[in-house]
């Protein structure tokens, strides 16, 4: 299952038609009995923009009272788990730090899982840096104000020769110099890994979108002709990390999300059960259009209890 | 033939086997008689790194004495024609400014050809800016030192609302702010064009490569989900501009290059004759591997006379 982390998405097709739990009240109880752990995408599932989905808090409290494990995942690499905890709790949702898996934390866990012990060059925000530091790594400091100008200055940028990994996430302080540094490390240092926190091409904000981590990753991938190891959804690395860290049984784990091509594909690719809720981006028509078939469908997470 | 300028390369296949002019001394004269204009890629054809190809100067002088038109093309958008003229002449090659077509100049000519008269936002070096200014355009000044930090600052970047084109080329002063500006103009302003000077993913320098214009274009294409209009080789827009500007007959025009997937494809896509010289990147084995078949092959441009 590792191969598709290298820049190409292998779609593990689920060909079984979705069970619409809206139509089968009687099946919800049996369905919940078959699940030990619920892994939640958040925006579009538990809240939408700045408003909690009605009944979501109560549903999660009910799952907890039934003894279910709850996990929260996010591809956003700009926030540490602590920052994400504050955000989740701001919606009145019960949560603890050890239930949160972001792509920044997932990247740090992945590095530890492979006993990575070389230098890191990072394109990313403080959220990524802090997770790496918490895991014992010290990403190379590259002055964010260090903007070169002109080809000859760019080619004179010197890199440290013992870098073992370039990690690329969302970075609002991106400069051409940083790209040159990453490009040189990946193309000039034998064995240097290229790791992407996630591949979301745009980053949703209040009034539209910004260029996302995925667009920066695409630039480095394009210039170096190297495919990255991808941590975030819909690749499986983040799920592998959660499954291993928590000792979960994939067959009794449910990925809950509102987007077919990230959340649901993430669950399908990872071998968990998947539940599409219709409170966010994808709808029933999307299933036909994208041909990504969730195991279960429900209008809202609140309807599961 | 216009469609393939929008981000996807349509390979107009030439299925006729190449004529190896090395093997057919007798055909070279007839071949030259069938040509009015020779369009040269430069690096790998007329010079290699810092050394002129032996006999190249004499060959070009001979073509001129035979009454042939000579043109020079480059995808490099960082240099103005004046700068490129100095470079060509530094190799002892006779050249005049009106014989030079770079992707920066080609972009300016393209804008004029469509009577473009709106505002321009540009990601690029002084070479691109100067060619646009020479054509009467004033690209919006965006402080290259203006680096924002943090999502909220990035989303607060205000763009001018009457931009009609975002032009993206190689830019060693690239910042995330510039990407945000380009991204917002392309995604928020109806009808705003997205033009790429060229799509070379890497930029060759002394000791390796740097991220090229194509990698920056790929980033903006990825974040906006919009395909650019591409000026440079192997797309046909630059050739269309040359043909129109010079009043050339495509069937009596020869594109001479050392790279199959840029120069030769450029000629094939544009409906000119093509000559691969073996003094640069591609060799006879490349023709089989890449399945791009030049009309003619010759060891070196000097051998044509």
């Amino acid at each position: 299952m590792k191969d598709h982390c290298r820049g190409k998405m292998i779609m593990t097709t689920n060909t079984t038609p979705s069970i619409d739990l809206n139509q089968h009240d009687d099946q919800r109880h049996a369905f919940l009995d078959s699940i030990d752990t619920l892994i939640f995408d958040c925006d579009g599932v538990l809240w939408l923009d700045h408003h909690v989905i009605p009944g979501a808090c109560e549903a999660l409290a009910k799952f907890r009272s039934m003894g279910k494990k709850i996990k929260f995942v996010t591809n956003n690499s700009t926030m540490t788990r602590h920052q994400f905890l504050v955000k989740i709790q701001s919606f009145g949702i019960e949560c603890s730090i050890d239930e949160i898996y972001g792509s920044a934390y997932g990247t740090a866990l992945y590095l530890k899982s492979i006993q990575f012990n070389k230098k890191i060059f990072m394109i990313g925000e403080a959220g990524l840096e802090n997770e790496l530091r918490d895991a014992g790594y010290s990403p190379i400091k590259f002055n964010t104000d260090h903007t070169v100008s002109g080809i000859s200055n760019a080619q004179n940028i010197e890199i440290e020769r013992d870098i073992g990994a370039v990690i690329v996430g969302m970075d609002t302080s991106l400069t051409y110099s940083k790209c040159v540094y990453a490009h040189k490390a990946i193309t000039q240092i034998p064995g240097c890994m290229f790791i992407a926190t996630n591949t979301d091409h745009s980053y949703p904000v209040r009034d539209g979108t910004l260029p996302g981590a995925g667009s920066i990753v695409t630039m480095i991938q394009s210039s170096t002709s190297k495919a990255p190891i991808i941590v975030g959804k819909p690749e499986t690395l983040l799920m592998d990390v959660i499954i291993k860290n928590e000792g979960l049984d994939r067959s009794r784990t449910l990925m809950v999300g509102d987007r077919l091509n990230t959340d649901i594909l993430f669950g399908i690719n990872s071998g968990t059960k998947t539940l599409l809720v219709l409170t966010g981006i994808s709808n029933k028509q999307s299933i036909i259009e994208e041909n990504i078939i969730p195991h279960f469908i429900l209008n809202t997470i609140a309807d599961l209890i």
Side-chain angles (χ1 to χ4, degrees), chain A:
Chain A
M1 270 216 158
K2 290 285 179 210
D3 261 4
H4 53 84
C5 295
R6 292 203 164 265
K8 59 178 194 298
M9 183 196 299
I10 293 175
M11 194 182 289
T12 313
T13 316
N14 170 38
T15 52
T16 317
S18 304
I19 296 170
D20 189 341
L21 293 173
N22 297 300
Q23 317 278 327
H24 299 89
D25 283 20
D26 51 317
Q27 291 193 19
R28 289 184 217 168
H29 213 120
F31 167 69
L32 268 176
D33 281 345
S34 73
I35 299 297
D36 292 334
T37 306
L38 295 98
I39 301 180
F40 289 95
D41 170 59
C42 298
D43 198 5
V45 176
L46 304 178
W47 62 76
L48 196 64
D49 299 325
H50 297 290
H51 304 284
V52 69
I53 301 284
C57 294
E58 296 75 7
L60 263 70
K62 178 73 179 173
F63 301 146
R64 288 185 191 282
S65 74
M66 294 168 77
K68 310 295 182 193
K69 275 191 177 183
I70 305 283
K71 303 291 161 195
F72 304 89
V73 294
T74 173
N75 265 5
N76 189 329
S77 70
T78 68
M79 287 199 281
T80 59
R81 281 172 300 151
H82 285 90
Q83 289 170 308
F84 204 62
L85 176 67
V86 171
K87 181 165 183 177
I88 294 174
Q89 289 174 335
S90 75
F91 288 103
I93 298 168
E94 187 189 335
C95 178
S96 66
I97 190 79
D98 58 307
E99 291 174 335
I100 298 173
Y101 285 86
S103 64
Y105 179 54
T107 300
L109 284 183
Y110 169 67
L111 290 173
K112 285 174 78 171
S113 76
I114 60 168
Q115 279 102 47
F116 180 84
N117 60 2
K118 293 184 179 172
K119 282 190 184 163
I120 291 172
F121 178 70
M122 181 198 94
I123 290 178
E125 296 280 320
L128 177 58
E129 184 178 348
N130 291 338
E131 288 292 6
L132 291 172
R133 289 196 182 281
D134 283 354
Y137 299 108
S138 304
I140 290 167
K141 276 283 175 201
F142 192 64
N143 190 348
T144 54
D145 297 328
H146 181 65
T147 50
V148 300
S149 198
I151 305 291
S152 61
N153 288 327
Q155 78 176 346
N156 287 335
I157 290 175
E158 295 273 351
I159 63 167
E160 298 198 33
R161 310 309 305 188
D162 50 353
I163 294 169
V166 170
I167 300 174
V168 180
M170 170 76 166
D171 188 352
T172 59
S173 303
L174 184 76
T175 61
Y176 186 76
S177 311
K178 282 190 187 180
C179 298
V180 170
Y181 203 110
H183 174 92
K184 287 191 174 184
I186 293 168
T187 56
Q188 296 178 4
I189 301 175
C192 179
M193 291 194 296
F194 170 23
I195 301 174
T197 60
N198 61 303
T199 53
D200 299 72
H201 293 301
S202 62
Y203 186 101
V205 287
R206 193 184 52 232
D207 59 347
T209 56
L210 296 173
S215 68
I216 303 173
V217 169
T218 300
M219 177 178 171
I220 304 297
Q221 181 167 357
S222 155
S223 77
T224 61
S225 296
K226 293 271 173 71
I229 296 166
I230 301 164
V231 175
K233 303 175 283 179
E235 303 297 339
T236 62
L237 218 154
L238 184 59
M239 185 68 88
D240 292 345
V241 161
I242 299 172
I243 296 283
K244 188 179 174 191
N245 217 37
E246 302 283 341
L248 303 181
D249 175 351
R250 287 175 199 262
S251 71
R252 295 186 60 81
T253 298
L254 179 70
M255 176 64 210
V256 187
D258 71 312
R259 283 187 74 151
L260 291 168
N261 62 2
T262 51
D263 307 321
I264 300 306
L265 196 56
F266 178 56
I268 293 172
N269 282 340
S270 303
T272 72
K273 292 198 173 82
T274 56
L275 170 64
L276 177 73
V277 291
L278 306 177
T279 40
I281 288 175
S282 300
N283 54 36
K284 287 183 183 175
Q285 184 61 27
S286 319
I287 297 174
I288 298 162
E289 288 167 7
E290 299 182 32
N291 196 28
I292 299 171
I293 307 166
H295 299 89
F296 302 94
I297 305 172
L298 196 59
N299 284 336
T300 157
I301 192 61
D303 291 344
L304 195 52
I305 55 167

